[in-house]
Amino acid sequence: MARPARSPDDHSSEAQRFVELVRSTVPPLHPAGLPFIAGGLGVAAAGKNRRWLRNTGLGLAGFCALFFRHPPRVPPSRPGAVVAPADGLVTLLDTAVPPAELGLGDTPMARISIFLSIFDAHVQRAPIAGRVMGVVHRPGKFLSADKDEASADNERNSLWIRTPEDVDIVAVQIAGLVARRIVCTAKTGDTLELGETYGLIRFGSRLDTYFPQGSRILVEAGQRAIGGETILAELP
């Protein structure tokens, strides 16, 4: 018995489902990565008659596509939640004075540090919803970002957010040993949603999050954090 002919609508539906499957499986890219991917593909094209050069170019393009991936995230709806500003490894839980350049005084705040390896997604997301009160970049050294002294000595960009309840939260992008470029698109006066992307660091870095003492810490050193989703703490 002959199978019924498939209509063009059937083929269109299958193609649409395939496109949706790809979109849900392959994360989008941050625009900052497009020039690097294009450069790798350019090397591959230039080496079309040289296998080693072609493979090198394709490898570089693939690595950059992985590094600059921008996976969608679903922030929690729990009130007072401070989420991880980046993917990575929780390396430090302590108290410290926030960066002096923000002018927040010398009262210590709770601090959680997250180290990003070159294999982590490197976009940064707002740890809390609120108004941007200040953004300050400070030049510095390029020590390995997993060292404690990196918070004080390395090049950094500090983002100060104030919640609608007048609670101050600080997220600090810190350059690392091979990270030489900090990107921050947030500006003073902007309003950020919880988990909203506001920047990235190339290549390998650290994020410090400062919040009021007395907050309930919900992570431990050695734990993996997912940016925009993992709850670091609950505000008091």
Side-chain angles (χ1 to χ4, degrees), residues 158-222:
S158 301
L159 176 72
W160 169 18
I161 303 174
R162 177 167 288 170
T163 73
E165 296 77 28
D166 289 332
V167 177
D168 292 326
I169 305 293
V170 176
V172 184
Q173 299 166 287
I174 301 171
L177 187 64
V178 294
R180 303 285 165 159
R181 182 78 170 94
I182 296 175
V183 178
C184 179
T185 56
K187 302 180 296 297
T188 300
D190 287 352
T191 298
L192 296 177
E193 298 297 326
L194 179 67
E196 180 179 346
T197 299
Y198 73 87
L200 62 82
I201 312 176
R202 311 192 296 253
F203 290 89
S205 46
R206 172 173 172 168
L207 260 293
D208 284 356
T209 306
Y210 295 79
F211 44 90
Q213 292 198 54
S215 300
R216 182 185 175 206
I217 308 298
L218 297 175
V219 293
E220 298 179 354

Side-chain angles (χ1 to χ4, degrees), residues 136-168:
V136 183
H137 177 268
R138 195 207 70 171
K141 299 178 181 179
F142 295 96
L143 304 174
S144 178
D146 60 348
K147 294 183 178 296
D148 292 346
E149 56 267 31
S151 291
D153 296 340
N154 280 21
E155 180 167 335
R156 67 192 183 208
N157 188 77
S158 301
L159 176 72
W160 169 18
I161 303 174
R162 177 167 288 170
T163 73
E165 296 77 28
D166 289 332
V167 177
D168 292 326

